[in-house]
């Protein structure tokens, strides 16, 4: 149950978190501190990732290591070059493997 909650819950929470991930409205110093492992073009997605992970942990239905495994499996990928070159100057999504690594690093800190 925790594994399904972590995977499905993360995706749903990530999409809901976009409502609060208007990073252009954030304090610049805090934004840079929290999102220092991401390129600026990926800050909105990164903020939604970190918000979703924190929200799931706060429910008590999963723990940090279980959620780390879940999101790492969601984002474990071979990263084809086309994924980040679809007519966009800079990618808006962090590279897949980096997403899992950064979410886990944030949860473990």
């Amino acid at each position: 149950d925790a594994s399904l909650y972590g995977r499905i819950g993360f995706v749903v929470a990530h999409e809901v978190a976009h409502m609060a991930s208007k990073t252009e409205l954030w304090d610049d110093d805090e934004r840079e501190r929290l999102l220092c492992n991401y390129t600026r073009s990926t800050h909105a997605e990164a903020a939604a990732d970190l918000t979703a992970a924190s929200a799931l942990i706060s429910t008590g239905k999963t723990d940090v290591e279980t959620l780390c495994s879940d999101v790492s499996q969601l984002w474990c990928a071979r990263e084809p070059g086309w994924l980040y070159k679809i007519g966009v100057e800079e990618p808006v999504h962090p590279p897949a493997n980096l997403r899992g690594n950064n979410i886990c690093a944030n949860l473990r800190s």
Side-chain angles (χ1 to χ4, degrees), residues 26 49 60 109:
W26 292 12
D49 281 351
S109 64

Side-chain angles (χ1 to χ4, degrees), residues 72-100:
S72 293
Q73 289 173 359
L74 279 173
W75 296 119
C76 180
R78 286 189 178 176
E79 296 173 5
W82 62 264
L83 188 60
Y84 300 102
K85 298 177 182 163
I86 316 175
V88 177
E89 288 290 319
E90 294 184 63
V92 294
H93 291 90
N97 295 322
L98 182 68
R99 286 180 97 160

Side-chain angles (χ1 to χ4, degrees), residues 38 71-72 75 96-106 108:
Y38 299 91
V71 297
S72 293
W75 296 119
N97 295 322
L98 182 68
R99 286 180 97 160
N101 293 346
N102 285 350
I103 291 166
C104 291
N106 183 270
R108 290 175 178 146

